[in-house]
Amino acid sequence: MFAVDSLLDDIEFVSIEFLIVVIKVVVVFVVGLVGTMLMVWFERKVISFMQNRIGPDKAGPKGVLQTLADGLKLFFKEGLVPDQADRFVYKLAPYLAFVPAFLVWSVIPLGGDFSGGKDGTVEILGRATKLQLADPPIGVLLLLALSSVAVYGIMLAGWSSGSKYPLLGSVRASAQMVSYEAALGLSLACVILMSGTLSTSGIVASQYSISRWSVVTTGVLPFVIFLIAATAEMNRPPFDLVEAEQELVGGFNTEYSSFRFALFFLAEFMNTITMSGVIVTLFFGGPQPVKIAGRDDVLFFLGPVSGTVWLLLKVLVFLYLFVWFRATLPRLRYDQLMHLGWRVLIPISLAWFMLLAFFRVGQDEDWNRVVIGGAGLAVILGCAGLLQLAGKVSARNREREGAMY
Amino acid sequence: MELFVFVVAGAMVLGGALGVVVRTHPVHAALSLILTLFGVAVLFVAQEAHFLAAVEVIVYAGAIVVLFLFVIMLLGVDKTEDLRIEPFRVQRPVAVVVGVALVSLVGLAVIASRERTVRVAEPLDVVAQDPADGNVRAIARDVFGEHVLAFELTSVLLVIAVVGTVILARRPRKGELIGSGK
């Protein structure tokens, strides 16, 4: 009925199929939690090295258990509810942030055997299945839906605290996340256009060699826009105005403590991992192997785990990149943030999407590629000129009226 | 299984709808609306209309109700509203009439179509050919093929609405009347 997993089509409780699905759920949950724990450690360690200090090094080897210690400490703290808070919404909000962050895992292909053009199915307990919790036909749209649900967690947390700094933080957050979702969706649409399917496993399957990776077939630009918009969507630096501690104390989560604060913290770092996973899935072939020296089975000795290792390696690159952003880039001002989102990213991604669609139609109709490119470029330049002109006019008007901020 | 999903989702939809009307706090009412929207999305999924479910969540829950909440949070709507004040006198009797009419219309439609719903509807050709992406393809063919004129007109309507809002919300300069062009 739900078509999420072909194993579930005619399911009987207490059967091997059911067992496999349960195992998948447990593995995804545990890997998510442990991964988040390691991510917090990774981020602190890498930032420390970039800032020429040592970072956590007391708990466990190289300080790897520091997060566990911090987590335990948080659980034993007293959970306060502010007097002015809207109690029900205040308690609900952390879960609204946490659950979507976790659910994104379920549609990311987490591994499988793709060497030699296989389609990634593996055998577990004698049943062929994909290493992916759910493979709904609208996989990619589910990602968008979950990221739009995640807005509620932050928004309601800030509002229900009944305090002004969290409210300011959450108003900023919701405006920012809604704004950048458009650019995110448009660059996503480019990938969908080139791969011709919405399902995440289908998108991975269409990227069977480096020249077929979406980052190449869509022409790099959508990837860059997606990366920027994803950073803003996660509220990570340089787009962390939501919790700009110099201005807003701590942002939307100022009034939270104990377990509920831990949930926000967990959601934030889990989002970083899942977003890296999404980027790798969409643009870099997910668990598809990279061809090195003409062989795509360099990791053959790992057998069915090789796909997962490839995914992990690619995800690590992006995790490092996000930490690097945080260590390097200063925070944007609010008007710069909105300018970048609405006046730069959205028009560019829209124009690029239209150009790709134009090429696609041209391919079907057998038109001359040079003519298509020229015409497309001319239209884009014309629109860009108009946009510039409109911007100039509005800037002049604003100057005449006196700046409002 | 299907009955179970239907009952749960139906309870979500009805509970949410009741909440929208009954809850006195606007934020709680908006949250109830989200519950309703999710219930509808679940019902769509149960009918294998995955694309509609996703769009329901992305557009309605993800954008429109966020906008509602944004406005409520920024404007800080009063917590209690005096029900005795009636800004528009005929609206309550008219609301009763329209409500009763709507309920009886839907009731009649259900009764009239009872025999027909028993028959299994024939699946659309496109959907039958390609169950994975068929939904999306069928909707795309319909919207961008058969109904493309209505679709484009709708987008023009939206642009007009946006332009109108910008003009209405613009602060007039000193000594300028809106609409005078000077």
Side-chain angles (χ1 to χ4, degrees):
Chain A
M1 174 172 61
F2 292 115
V4 284
D5 194 327
S6 52
L7 283 173
L8 278 172
D9 277 349
D10 0 60
I11 193 143
E12 285 170 44
F13 291 95
V14 199
S15 64
I16 292 183
E17 283 84 358
F18 189 70
L19 188 71
I20 291 176
V21 173
V22 170
I23 291 174
K24 278 188 187 178
V25 171
V26 172
V27 167
V28 165
F29 191 75
V30 171
V31 167
L33 276 182
V34 174
T36 311
M37 199 185 98
L38 291 176
M39 173 64 202
V40 177
W41 170 76
F42 177 75
E43 174 147 4
R44 293 179 67 175
K45 219 52 187 168
V46 170
I47 281 201
S48 304
F49 285 127
M50 285 181 180
Q51 295 168 344
N52 220 352
R53 55 194 175 86
I54 297 170
D57 68 337
K58 293 288 183 278
K62 300 261 174 205
V64 72
L65 296 177
Q66 185 64 44
T67 321
L68 196 66
D70 289 346
L72 280 176
K73 184 197 76 176
L74 272 176
F75 276 96
F76 286 113
K77 277 186 157 183
E78 185 187 355
L80 296 166
V81 180
D83 217 22
Q84 290 290 309
D86 187 310
R87 298 185 75 89
F88 175 69
V89 181
Y90 180 84
K91 287 178 181 166
L92 179 74
Y95 299 97
L96 287 181
F98 178 71
V99 172
F102 236 116
L103 282 181
V104 176
W105 271 118
S106 63
V107 290
I108 297 177
L110 293 174
D113 185 12
F114 288 92
S115 58
K118 289 178 201 141
D119 66 345
T121 48
V122 290
E123 281 206 0
I124 305 176
L125 302 174
R127 302 288 194 280
T129 181
K130 284 177 180 159
L131 281 181
Q132 175 177 4
L133 186 52
D135 184 20
I138 45 128
V140 177
L141 292 182
L142 198 70
L143 296 177
L144 283 182
L146 287 173
S147 83
S148 57
V149 173
V151 180
Y152 284 107
I154 292 178
M155 198 173 181
L156 292 172
W159 173 80
S160 67
S161 296
S163 162
K164 56 176 97 100
Y165 291 118
L167 182 66
L168 282 174
S170 69
V171 166
R172 280 184 183 184
S174 35
Q176 173 182 335
M177 288 167 95
V178 170
S179 303
Y180 277 80
E181 215 165 68
L184 196 80
L186 279 170
S187 45
L188 198 72
C190 295
V191 178
I192 298 169
L193 189 71
M194 296 321 277
S195 62
T197 174
L198 288 173
S199 114
T200 43
S201 66
I203 288 174
V204 168
S206 73
Q207 309 177 54
Y208 44 79
S209 70
I210 292 189
S211 60
R212 293 292 308 160
W213 279 4
S214 299
V215 67
V216 179
T217 55
T218 59
V220 187
L221 199 63
F223 159 66
V224 175
I225 291 171
F226 192 90
L227 189 66
I228 297 173
T231 317
E233 195 72 14
M234 292 185 293
N235 302 316
R236 277 186 68 87
F239 303 106
D240 60 338
L241 288 97
V242 177
E243 40 194 305
E245 63 273 13
Q246 294 90 338
E247 313 158 28
L248 295 178
V249 189
F252 67 94
N253 54 18
T254 305
E255 302 287 350
Y256 279 87
S257 57
S258 180
F259 179 60
R260 297 193 190 100
F261 178 79
L263 284 181
F264 279 121
F265 194 74
L266 213 60
E268 205 178 311
F269 280 88
M270 182 158 284
N271 271 330
T272 314
I273 304 180
T274 47
M275 214 29 129
S276 307
V278 169
I279 290 174
V280 169
T281 305
L282 291 179
F283 293 97
F284 293 89
Q288 296 264 19
V290 181
K291 233 181 206 169
I292 297 169
R295 294 171 59 94
D296 66 352
D297 51 353
V298 185
L299 295 176
F300 66 92
F301 49 91
L302 291 169
V305 195
S306 65
T308 312
V309 174
W310 277 118
L311 182 82
L312 193 68
L313 288 175
K314 292 174 186 174
V315 165
L316 271 175
V317 172
F318 284 96
L319 291 181
Y320 185 78
L321 197 67
F322 282 127
V323 179
W324 198 1
F325 281 168
R326 175 168 166 186
T328 318
L329 299 170
R331 187 182 297 134
L332 268 73
R333 224 169 47 213
Y334 191 70
D335 59 318
Q336 291 172 330
L337 175 91
M338 284 298 158
H339 185 271
L340 179 68
W342 287 98
R343 293 273 301 279
V344 180
L345 291 186
I346 293 180
I348 291 179
S349 51
L350 184 64
W352 197 257
F353 175 64
M354 297 305 267
L355 195 66
L356 283 180
F358 198 24
F359 268 111
R360 198 69 204 255
V361 174
Q363 220 173 17
D364 292 349
E365 307 272 323
D366 229 11
W367 291 338
N368 190 341
R369 296 190 122 209
V370 182
V371 177
I372 294 176
L377 213 63
V379 172
I380 287 175
L381 283 179
C383 292
L386 274 177
L387 194 69
Q388 276 293 321
L389 208 64
K392 241 181 228 165
V393 169
S394 84
R396 205 178 52 217
N397 280 346
R398 209 166 39 220
E399 219 162 87
R400 208 187 300 160
E401 287 167 20
M404 283 190 290
Y405 43 86
Chain B
M1 185 72 175
E2 187 157 359
L3 182 74
F4 175 72
V5 173
F6 178 77
V7 169
V8 172
M12 274 167 78
V13 172
L14 287 178
L18 269 180
V20 173
V21 183
V22 175
R23 300 306 287 262
T24 48
H25 200 292
V27 171
H28 292 165
L31 287 179
S32 306
L33 186 59
I34 300 169
L35 189 67
T36 303
L37 294 172
F38 268 93
V40 174
V42 172
L43 287 176
F44 275 141
V45 173
Q47 297 302 315
E48 306 214 346
H50 295 100
F51 182 72
L52 285 183
V55 169
E56 173 97 10
V57 173
I58 293 172
V59 175
Y60 285 94
I64 292 182
V65 183
V66 167
L67 211 65
F68 287 178
L69 280 175
F70 203 64
V71 171
I72 294 169
M73 275 160 52
L74 275 183
L75 296 185
V77 180
D78 292 334
K79 281 192 179 163
T80 50
E81 203 155 299
D82 198 347
L83 284 175
R84 280 167 302 176
I85 300 170
E86 177 89 282
F88 182 49
R89 275 183 185 282
V90 282
Q91 72 176 355
R92 278 182 205 179
V94 171
V96 171
V97 172
V98 172
V100 170
L102 201 64
V103 168
S104 44
L105 208 63
V106 172
L108 278 177
V110 170
I111 293 166
S113 63
R114 267 186 83 169
E115 291 104 51
R116 258 175 267 171
T117 46
V118 181
R119 226 184 303 147
V120 178
E122 302 242 327
L124 288 171
D125 290 348
V126 212
V127 181
Q129 278 166 19
D130 181 7
D133 281 336
N135 253 314
V136 185
R137 273 174 225 276
I139 292 172
R141 290 244 165 82
D142 218 30
V143 172
F144 298 110
E146 209 153 307
H147 301 110
V148 70
L149 185 68
F151 180 80
E152 294 296 338
L153 283 178
T154 315
S155 62
V156 170
L157 192 69
L158 284 176
V159 171
I160 293 171
V162 170
V163 172
T165 318
V166 169
I167 295 211
L168 286 176
R170 203 165 64 95
R171 274 193 229 169
R173 273 177 235 134
K174 270 180 207 146
E176 184 206 36
L177 285 171
I178 286 182
S180 68
K182 281 177 190 168

